[in-house]
Amino acid sequence: MELSIAQPDDWHLHLRDGELLEAVVSHSAKQFGRAIIMPNLRPPVTTTAAAVAYRDSILKSLQGNTDFTPLMTLYLTDKTSPDEIKLARESGVVYGVKLYPAGATTNSQDGVTDLFGKCLPVLEEMVNQEMPLLVHGEVTDPEIDIFDRERVFIDRILKPLIQKLPKLKVVMEHVTTMDAVKFVESCEEGCVAATVTPQHLLLNRNSLFQGGLQPHNYCLPVLKRETHRQAIVAAVTSGNKRFFLGTDSAPHDRLRKECACGCAGVYNSPVALSIYAKVFEEAGALDKLEAFTSFNGPDFYGLPRNTRKITLKKTPWKVPESYSYASGSIVPMSAGESLEWLPYLPS
């Protein structure tokens, strides 16, 4: 059995830099036509000049062997200026601005502390420039239970933001709860959308602890209850145009995951399309897979759909236990397991 679809794009991808970048970029480039590249490096990508330089590094690491196009983003801080948003739009390489609440996830210490105060002029300029705001939707208040942080963020931040700036294009990244699904579905189509990861479609929070602590399933936002997973699956397999593919693939060296204080992030680029196909097949919705992977994202961003095709062949293949690089190794999602759908680009 084979399934041919328009080549997908990844609307939420971490490529890191240096040796990690060189180790992982080909896994995305072999399958995806474009990817929104997240800016939480050290130091973060806060200016258009830095975004252009980072893009050059990505393209250099590909050595001209692919048609993969990185779509760059800026890291929003309390000091970002409206003029920087104008420069970003004029550059032709920046396609969004990422909101990390300070302390919410990996390398978010430089994130926003005062969205409705210091950042309001920037948000207003983003409306003028039709520049999407890409949101890590969690509050960081230590008094809020980690499993409730997305729901509280919606009530405290997102709802007031949409009311204040109804024309701002917003992507709620890596949604994990029934609350997020309902919120996105309640918003005007074309203004608010959401990306969904393979891990949040396939796994629930039991997957963090089955057979012992599973550090390679640990990500932020953290995996949630089975009822939330089912709500997300129902949303994406319904054909709703507000939801589209965003892997949030986040590579870390094995030693930084398997340690006393492990990093958050699931490295799923090598298996993402296989897992999305599995989820849609189990839901009886393979006919809706192409829209989720290949149409809804570019339509929301106002970009052309890919014309190249990719084929998903139903043939068992085993996921490698790890991927080695010069300084160590990276453990992928579903390491050592057998998956049923194998994607490849026809020559």
Side-chain angles (χ1 to χ4, degrees), residues 63-244:
Q63 300 178 343
N65 295 327
T66 176
D67 294 326
F68 179 73
T69 302
L71 309 176
M72 309 312 294
T73 60
L74 298 186
Y75 185 118
L76 184 64
T77 74
D78 291 343
K79 297 180 180 179
T80 304
S81 71
D83 285 342
E84 194 63 56
I85 301 303
K86 294 177 184 177
L87 286 173
R89 175 55 74 197
E90 292 169 359
S91 74
V93 304
V94 176
Y95 289 83
V97 176
K98 183 67 185 285
L99 166 62
Y100 291 104
T105 189
T106 301
N107 296 344
S108 63
Q109 60 271 18
D110 297 304
V112 168
T113 65
D114 186 11
L115 183 66
F116 295 107
K118 296 176 181 177
C119 295
L120 186 58
V122 172
L123 297 174
E124 291 171 339
E125 186 59 37
M126 289 174 63
V127 174
N128 295 336
Q129 299 295 334
E130 298 183 346
M131 180 72 75
L133 179 68
L134 318 180
V135 176
H136 182 110
E138 293 188 290
V139 296
T140 56
D141 186 338
E143 296 181 359
I144 303 298
D145 189 283
I146 191 169
F147 293 101
D148 296 329
R149 289 179 179 178
E150 186 171 271
R151 176 181 57 79
V152 174
F153 184 90
I154 292 169
D155 291 336
R156 288 186 181 177
I157 306 296
L158 269 187
K159 287 180 179 178
L161 176 63
I162 299 304
Q163 291 172 356
K164 183 178 286 288
L165 297 171
K167 296 303 181 182
L168 179 67
K169 290 176 75 75
V170 175
V171 180
M172 190 174 183
E173 303 287 0
H174 43 50
V175 291
T176 68
T177 61
M178 185 184 306
D179 309 270
V181 167
K182 290 180 179 178
F183 171 74
V184 172
E185 290 177 339
S186 74
C187 294
E188 182 181 347
E189 187 173 303
C191 288
V192 178
T195 56
V196 185
T197 76
Q199 60 265 27
H200 292 110
L201 285 173
L202 187 66
L203 308 176
N204 61 37
R205 66 186 189 180
N206 287 340
S207 301
L208 290 168
F209 309 108
Q210 288 173 337
L213 186 64
Q214 301 296 325
H216 298 288
N217 288 338
Y218 169 54
C219 57
L220 290 172
V222 71
L223 299 172
K224 302 299 195 300
R225 290 181 181 272
E226 175 65 9
T227 51
H228 292 297
R229 187 194 71 82
Q230 292 177 0
I232 299 168
V233 170
V236 303
T237 60
S238 71
N240 192 318
K241 296 180 180 180
R242 295 174 175 87
F243 300 92
F244 44 85

